[in-house]
Amino acid sequence: MPRRYIFSSESVGEGHPDKVADTISDAILDACLAQDKHSRVACETFVKSNVVVVGGEITTQAQFDYNAIIRQAVREIGYVNNDDIFHADQIFINNYITAQSPDIAQGVDARKAKGKKTAEQGAGDQGLMFGYACNETPELMPAPIMFAHRLGRELTRFRKSGKVKWLRPDAKSQVSVVYEDGKPVAIANVVVSTQHAADVEHAEIEKFIIEKIVKKVLPKNLLTPQTEYLINPTGRFVIGGPQGDSGLTGRKIIVDTYGGMGRHGGGAFSGKDPSKVDRSAAYMGRYVAKNVVAAGLAEKCEVQFAYAIGHPKPVSVHIDTFGTNAVSEESIEKAVLKTFSFKPADIVSQLDLLRPIYSKSTNYGHFGKDDEDLTWENTDKAAALKKAAK
């Protein structure tokens, strides 16, 4: 008997409070890198009601108006409606950003320092990172999270087009996929909650979401008569965004990665420059895992590596293909180590990460996007990996 199970993943829209915080943090990071590619940035954001609080550590030569960057980020999300107290032109902004600690800087900088064992650039922190890929979708991502992202993107496209006046920025989506022997065979249920204006009826929202969003972007062959649609299941979602809930940078790490299908090291991404291996090494892990799957060496691949702060090499590298490997995992691991370098400085160089590209990664997942600036999605090493694994 084939094993049958259901796996669910969620995504959130740009107007979700946590994503508002992520968006602001990445906007500030990009503003720094646009003027000074060697900026060191660790920017955290908190939003609630009509208040934005930014804090963290930034060392940069860049000069810009922080308030203007924050207001523009909020404006681009879509918080410009007079029926919401969180409004781009009316928020109060508190800035508590200081410079990066010199103790951390000496570990990261490519220079000698007392007590440091090498003059090479080291990792910005200790920790473990994961990368993942599978052949369930064209993006080589797990189906549940990609389907959830598709719903959110399409909902946002309609909202920003102005064609549906009652849509508001805060939204969440969730898709539960039925698997048989590890392969997606159906969608069990779809959950979409979207903030809306007070004067629209629930029946109109439900019909629009199902007909214009769900049935348009999800695979028709996976939607069955048994598929359940749960649209704004509370019946009302007028108060949303930072008015309805607080938001904090880095609180949607499973949305940002693989929807729970692949493991996560725990470190958040947004607001961090690429000297922070929480972000850059996780991108590298995706790059490696995606190339392994693209090379046909496995149907699924998860890569884990770990670092010590100030140390230039990973302290461990591990490959897991969950029994889907076409060659031995030992051969894949050797091919990976021959093809890629996991030193923090080399990761930055290989993926060309010292650019203001991070706002493109913030929403609808950091992985699985078709954008040439997001270099960790390239499969340009697949041929070299395949050759090295023979």
Side-chain angles (χ1 to χ4, degrees):
M1 290 287 292
R3 185 184 174 221
R4 186 179 177 91
Y5 61 92
I6 298 174
F7 194 94
S8 304
S9 294
E10 74 159 349
S11 181
V12 298
E14 298 167 24
H16 185 281
D18 294 329
K19 273 297 151 195
V20 173
D22 284 343
T23 299
I24 291 170
S25 292
D26 275 336
I28 290 172
L29 169 62
D30 279 350
C32 292
L33 293 176
Q35 296 182 39
D36 177 8
K37 69 178 183 179
H38 298 297
S39 298
R40 295 285 167 75
V41 180
C43 181
E44 309 281 353
T45 303
F46 168 78
V47 295
K48 176 58 188 165
S49 299
N50 61 344
V51 175
V52 173
V53 180
V54 291
E57 301 77 45
I58 296 180
T59 299
T60 183
Q61 298 299 313
Q63 295 185 348
F64 55 86
D65 184 338
Y66 279 84
N67 287 12
I69 294 294
I70 292 167
R71 291 188 191 280
Q72 183 59 26
V74 173
R75 187 174 294 108
E76 289 178 359
I77 291 169
Y79 279 109
V80 293
N81 297 291
N82 292 327
D83 58 358
D84 197 325
I85 68 169
F86 190 79
H87 189 292
D89 298 324
Q90 299 169 15
I91 51 176
F92 293 92
I93 300 170
N94 299 306
N95 188 332
Y96 300 105
I97 292 171
T98 62
Q100 184 186 59
S101 161
D103 295 347
I104 295 174
Q106 80 168 27
V108 177
D109 292 344
R111 60 181 174 86
K112 292 182 179 180
K114 186 177 180 180
K116 185 180 175 183
K117 295 182 178 180
T118 174
E120 290 187 68
Q121 178 177 330
D125 200 355
Q126 73 174 51
L128 51 114
M129 299 84 206
F130 288 93
Y132 183 84
C134 62
N135 63 1
E136 291 180 12
T137 64
E139 300 91 349
L140 300 185
M141 285 282 289
I145 188 65
M146 288 310 298
F147 294 166
H149 287 329
R150 289 180 196 175
L151 294 171
R153 284 196 194 98
E154 186 65 7
L155 191 59
T156 297
R157 188 186 71 79
F158 265 103
R159 175 174 61 82
K160 290 187 174 182
S161 73
K163 295 177 181 178
V164 184
K165 302 296 184 182
W166 47 262
L167 282 172
R168 294 293 183 266
D170 196 356
K172 299 180 79 172
S173 56
Q174 182 174 290
V175 180
S176 300
V177 176
V178 181
Y179 285 79
E180 286 187 0
D181 281 350
K183 305 294 183 183
V185 296
I187 292 174
N189 56 70
V190 178
V191 184
V192 178
S193 294
T194 181
Q195 185 186 11
H196 58 85
D199 59 355
V200 63
E201 295 294 328
H202 182 270
E204 181 180 349
I205 297 171
E206 187 173 47
K207 181 180 179 181
F208 169 76
I209 296 295
I210 293 173
E211 298 300 326
K212 301 297 184 181
I213 305 293
V214 176
K215 291 185 177 180
K216 180 178 178 182
V217 303
L218 297 187
K220 291 181 173 57
N221 63 309
L222 298 183
L223 295 173
T224 73
Q226 288 73 44
T227 301
E228 184 179 18
Y229 303 101
L230 299 168
I231 311 302
N232 277 21
T234 67
R236 181 178 170 87
F237 188 5
V238 173
I239 298 174
Q243 181 180 356
D245 195 4
S246 60
L248 192 65
T249 300
R251 210 156 55 178
K252 284 291 175 283
I253 58 177
I254 300 304
V255 171
D256 289 343
T257 53
Y258 309 103
M261 188 77 77
R263 285 173 283 194
H264 195 292
F269 301 157
S270 289
K272 296 178 181 178
D273 77 85
S275 73
K276 280 73 172 174
V277 285
D278 277 342
R279 184 171 212 163
S280 56
Y283 289 176
M284 189 65 181
R286 166 63 177 170
Y287 183 46
V288 173
K290 188 173 183 181
N291 275 273
V292 168
V293 175
L297 299 177
E299 295 179 9
K300 298 179 182 180
C301 180
E302 185 176 77
V303 182
Q304 187 219 47
F305 26 86
Y307 291 88
I309 187 168
H311 193 64
K313 295 181 180 180
V315 296
S316 68
V317 177
H318 174 68
I319 304 289
D320 190 348
T321 61
F322 309 96
T324 68
N325 46 304
V327 300
S328 71
E329 288 186 339
E330 183 181 6
S331 295
I332 295 173
E333 189 169 302
K334 287 180 178 178
V336 164
L337 293 173
K338 181 179 179 180
T339 306
F340 303 95
S341 172
F342 298 109
K343 292 183 177 181
D346 291 344
I347 290 175
V348 171
S349 175
Q350 288 171 97
L351 296 180
D352 194 14
L353 295 179
L354 296 178
R355 297 172 294 140
I357 58 174
Y358 296 98
S359 292
K360 292 184 175 184
S361 70
T362 312
N363 292 292
Y364 313 114
H366 290 240
F367 309 126
K369 292 176 178 172
D370 183 15
D371 189 309
E372 62 182 10
D373 282 333
L374 308 185
T375 50
W376 50 90
E377 291 300 315
N378 292 339
T379 54
D380 54 325
K381 298 295 183 181
L385 271 176
K386 192 170 185 177
K387 183 178 179 181
K390 288 182 178 180

